[in-house]
């Protein structure tokens, strides 16, 4: 495997954590490049479940260097908790983990602002994870954010944080929120900075050194294409570039060093939070929730579910340059008699074979479906493509062709062994 970018081809929660874990076997370095602890990547190793929010899931394998790149926003208190939680489960985190000194820091005022803004928006809320992601990226763009290099320098932290708290307390007050105590936030973040300092480095230089040494790199995307700040269903998006381009800006590795893009998508569609979801369907939501599936790994919220939307995934293939597809959760459809796939949208007299940019227009689109016969056979025990029911194989081939990328992996359960290389 050369340098590979892995992205979500839908609205996040595509099962990236598991696919990254599987592909990490063929990589030397795993890099997170966007988002923050709004992400929740679930990986099962045997019966043990791990949910990772910031640390690349490569940490669960031996001799892999895991890097949090400059494009990520880091809640250091959450990161320390994550490191300690993994250590308790016997996961070694030492020289195999590096954090970019230029990644931005998420502070409690970011979380408070996130929550207050959602409350003020009322029924027009975005449905954020309330992890402070939007306000933290906002500060980055406004050039007032603190970076990890500030966090690990007590003098800079004190000086910059005191100014930020003073300003943000004013904003919080205006939004009906509670002011924060500088003393408390400073003490907590100082301690987190001391803890994290040994992991902090110039990751751009480090990654280039590794590449010169022949290391194979895997870029771990978070969230999904339609949550991208530029290419998603704005404003119902997250605040980072979750798409493949973000891997370059979020790591400092240039485009010509990227060899392959793997797109991960479910065999159906889900979304958490507000915003348009053209193929949303109550019956399929009830079916999946009834199976105990499709509850968020970060917030526990029930995900909205719908039929596979090939207009969306085709758009994702275009924007990300997806070469190979990993299709997950095939087993979620095992019991269905008929399976629908959206192939176009209709809005009044207009027929769309692409995703309209305007979220309101998209909300008014009605899916045009084609139907497939369900296989009505459990697939979770299949370990080869041939072992899958012929109707399941036909379905996988059809949705790959409609998306316009090669079928590479089919996943039939959370376990590492439930991964079929096609
Ligand atoms: P934020 O990233 O917390 O600001 O949330 C913005 C939107 O992105 C909301 O609709 C969230 O539900 C969604 N979102 C953020 N992170 C994830 C994720 O990891 N999986 C799925 N949806 C996410």
């Amino acid at each position: 495997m050369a340098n590979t970018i892995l992205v979500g081809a839908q609205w996040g929660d595509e099962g990236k954590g598991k696919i990254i874990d599987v592909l990490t076997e063929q990589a030397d370095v795993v890099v997170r490049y966007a988002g923050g602890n709004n992400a929740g990547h679930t990986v099962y190793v045997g019966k043990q479940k791990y949910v990772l929010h910031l640390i690349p899931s490569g940490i669960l394998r031996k001799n892999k260097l895991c890097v949090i790149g400059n494009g990520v926003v880091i809640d250091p208190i959450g990161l320390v908790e994550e490191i300690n939680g993994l250590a308790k489960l016997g996961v070694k985190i030492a020289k195999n983990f590096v954090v970019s000194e230029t990644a931005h820091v998420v502070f409690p005022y970011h979380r408070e602002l996130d929550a207050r803004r959602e409350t003020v928006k009322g029924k027009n809320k975005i449905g954020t994870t309330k992890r402070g992601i939007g306000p933290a990226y906002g500060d980055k763009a406004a050039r007032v954010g603190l970076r990890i290099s500030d966090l690990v320098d007590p003098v800079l932290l004190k000086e910059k944080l005191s100014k930020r708290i003073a300003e943000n307390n004013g904003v919080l007050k205006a939004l009906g929120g509670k002011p924060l105590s500088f003393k408390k936030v400073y003490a907590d973040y100082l301690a987190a900075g001391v803890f994290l300092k040994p992991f902090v480095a110039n990751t751009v230089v480090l990654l280039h050194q590794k590449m010169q040494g022949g290391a194979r790199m895997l870029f771990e995307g978070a969230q999904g294409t339609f949550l991208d700040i530029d290419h998603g269903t704005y404003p119902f998006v997250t605040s980072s570039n979750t798409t493949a381009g973000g891997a370059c800006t979020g790591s400092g590795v240039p485009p010509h060093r990227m060899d392959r893009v793997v797109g991960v998508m479910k065999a159906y569609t889900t979304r958490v939070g507000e915003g348009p979801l053209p193929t949303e369907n109550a019956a399929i939501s009830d079916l999946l929730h009834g199976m105990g599936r499709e509850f968020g790994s970060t917030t526990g919220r029930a995900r909205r579910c719908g039929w596979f939307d090939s207009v969306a995934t085709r758009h994702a293939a275009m924007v990300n340059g997806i070469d190979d597809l990993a299709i997950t959760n095939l087993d979620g459809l095992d019991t269905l008699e008929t399976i629908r796939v959206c192939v176009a949208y209709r809005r009044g007299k207009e027929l769309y074979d692409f995703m309209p940019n305007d979220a309101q227009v998209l909300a008014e689109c009605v899916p045009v479906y084609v139907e497939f016969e369900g296989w009505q056979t459990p697939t979770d025990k299949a370990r080869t493509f041939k072992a899958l029911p012929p109707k399941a194989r036909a379905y996988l081939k059809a949705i790959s062709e409609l998306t316009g990328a090669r079928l590479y992996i089919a996943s039939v359960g959370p376990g590492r062994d439930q991964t079929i290389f096609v």
Side-chain angles (χ1 to χ4, degrees), residues 228-250:
D228 183 285
I229 182 82
D230 285 284
H231 301 288
T233 49
Y234 192 89
F236 304 101
V237 292
T238 190
S239 301
S240 64
N241 283 119
T242 60
T243 43
C248 295
T249 51

Side-chain angles (χ1 to χ4, degrees), residues 166-187:
E167 184 183 313
N168 281 294
N169 275 349
V171 182
L172 275 174
K173 221 169 126 193
L175 292 172
K178 275 199 218 119
L180 295 162
S181 142
F182 165 74
K183 232 170 128 184
K184 163 101 177 82
V185 179
Y186 179 64

Side-chain angles (χ1 to χ4, degrees), residues 35-38 53-54 68 72-83 99 103-111 130-133 136 148 151 188-189 192 196:
N37 63 353
N38 48 349
H53 298 285
L54 278 162
I68 297 187
V72 176
V73 288
I74 299 174
D75 179 336
I77 309 290
L79 181 56
V80 170
E81 269 172 25
E82 197 169 324
I83 293 172
V99 179
H104 276 247
V105 180
V106 180
F107 285 97
Y109 48 82
H110 293 129
R111 282 198 303 274
K130 301 203 179 131
R131 297 291 190 273
I133 305 299
I148 291 290
L151 177 79
D188 291 349
Y189 276 65
L196 292 174

Side-chain angles (χ1 to χ4, degrees), residues 10-15 227 266-272 277 279 284-285 288-289 293-295 302-308 329:
Q10 295 162 322
W11 276 269
D13 306 316
E14 295 93 349
L227 292 174
K266 280 180 179 149
Y268 47 89
T269 309
T270 66
R271 163 167 216 168
V272 245
L277 184 65
T279 62
I284 187 161
S285 283
L288 292 162
H289 294 151
R293 301 170 84 115
E294 302 308 341
F295 294 94
R303 296 178 186 140
R304 299 157 61 196
C305 306
W307 299 111
F308 187 84
N329 291 272

Side-chain angles (χ1 to χ4, degrees), residues 112-120 168-178:
E112 288 293 321
L113 284 171
D114 198 353
R116 290 310 309 164
R117 284 181 186 148
E118 284 285 90
T119 307
V120 170
N168 281 294
N169 275 349
V171 182
L172 275 174
K173 221 169 126 193
L175 292 172
K178 275 199 218 119

